[in-house]
Amino acid sequence: MNRNARMAGALFLVSTGSYLIGSGFLNPVLLRSEFLEFLYFDRSKVVVGLLLELINALAVVGIAMLLYPDLKKYNEAFALGYFGSRIIESAILIISLIAPISLITLSENYISAEVSGRSYLQTIANLAVEAHFMLFELGMIVLSVGSLILCYVLYRSKLVPRVLSVIGFIGYAGLLTSSCLAITGRDTGTVLYIPGAIFEIVLPLWLMIKGLNPRAEKS
């Protein structure tokens, strides 16, 4: 049990770290004013950011694969729901990376285009950026729902301390709320991310150090 749990904990950290670093490379380029004019020259940052976010998208599936055999012993249906949600999340995140890749070519064409022909390229680029962030928020909704399922199994089975599961409930409920509001165009800031961030740091460390409770209660 605990070998898989420790590997899952390590993958949690890989997933979180690769996303944070990847978005740190990618988002400043995409959110820059007149980004299309400069993106081609920053393409190395875009490529590195995309590769790191791809690692995150693949890692989340690995986490689900490692936890599934243990979770299903306590609630097979919910374990399968969590596993499926992470596959869907991964697929959405991978699709979301298509837009930034296309922006490299759009930026190159924008630079070489006549001034009169740039407006339609800018319109396409704006739509691509919006689609990228919209798909990301959709992925976070799927992540939130799946992780609430995970926290429920963890709480009921006591595979980890219940206080940690409660933090996870609060964190993912906040993320779900934030992402739903973001899709409707409302920015809630970062305050709703704090409990989830705490959970995604503490849980992996707990899994790597303590593992899952071998005397957890089966339902």
Side-chain angles (χ1 to χ4, degrees):
M1 175 185 286
N2 282 329
R3 180 185 177 187
N4 280 359
R6 291 189 174 98
M7 291 174 64
L11 269 185
F12 259 114
L13 294 179
V14 168
S15 173
T16 301
S18 60
Y19 166 71
L20 290 175
I21 298 172
S23 62
F25 277 106
L26 186 59
N27 289 356
V29 177
L30 298 182
L31 296 173
R32 184 178 183 180
S33 60
E34 303 296 331
F35 68 92
L36 203 56
E37 184 176 350
F38 303 101
L39 188 144
Y40 183 74
F41 301 107
D42 289 331
R43 62 188 180 278
S44 59
K45 293 182 180 179
V46 174
V47 171
V48 171
L50 289 173
L51 287 174
L52 288 169
E53 293 205 2
L54 178 61
I55 290 172
N56 167 55
L58 297 176
V60 300
V61 176
I63 293 167
M65 290 177 64
L66 288 167
L67 290 180
Y68 176 74
D70 295 319
L71 295 178
K72 75 174 183 178
K73 298 174 184 176
Y74 301 91
N75 192 314
E76 186 170 0
F78 277 34
L80 186 60
Y82 174 67
F83 183 78
S85 72
R86 302 238 72 174
I87 292 177
I88 296 171
E89 175 200 350
S90 177
I92 293 172
L93 292 179
I94 291 172
I95 294 171
S96 77
L97 301 180
I98 296 173
I101 293 174
S102 66
L103 289 174
I104 297 175
T105 302
L106 280 174
S107 179
E108 184 179 17
N109 292 337
Y110 181 91
I111 293 168
S112 61
E114 298 291 336
V115 175
S116 60
R118 288 182 170 182
S119 60
Y120 83 96
L121 291 173
Q122 187 66 59
T123 300
I124 294 172
N126 290 339
L127 290 173
V129 171
E130 185 177 349
H132 168 72
F133 286 114
M134 192 68 67
L135 284 168
F136 171 77
E137 296 297 347
L138 182 59
M140 292 304 97
I141 290 174
V142 176
L143 164 64
S144 300
V145 173
S147 296
L148 287 171
I149 293 173
L150 170 66
C151 290
Y152 174 81
V153 177
L154 294 178
Y155 182 87
R156 288 294 303 272
S157 64
K158 299 182 183 178
L159 282 165
V160 298
R162 278 185 162 175
V163 64
L164 185 53
S165 301
V166 171
I167 294 172
F169 275 122
I170 297 170
Y172 290 116
L175 178 60
L176 179 61
T177 301
S178 177
S179 295
C180 288
L181 290 174
I183 285 182
T184 63
R186 302 175 185 178
D187 185 9
T188 60
T190 60
V191 65
L192 293 179
Y193 292 111
I194 295 174
I198 293 172
F199 179 80
E200 295 216 346
I201 293 173
V202 177
L203 177 65
L205 293 176
W206 183 275
L207 292 177
M208 293 174 67
I209 297 170
K210 293 286 190 177
L212 297 172
N213 179 11
R215 295 180 295 276
E217 300 174 3
K218 295 186 179 181
S219 57

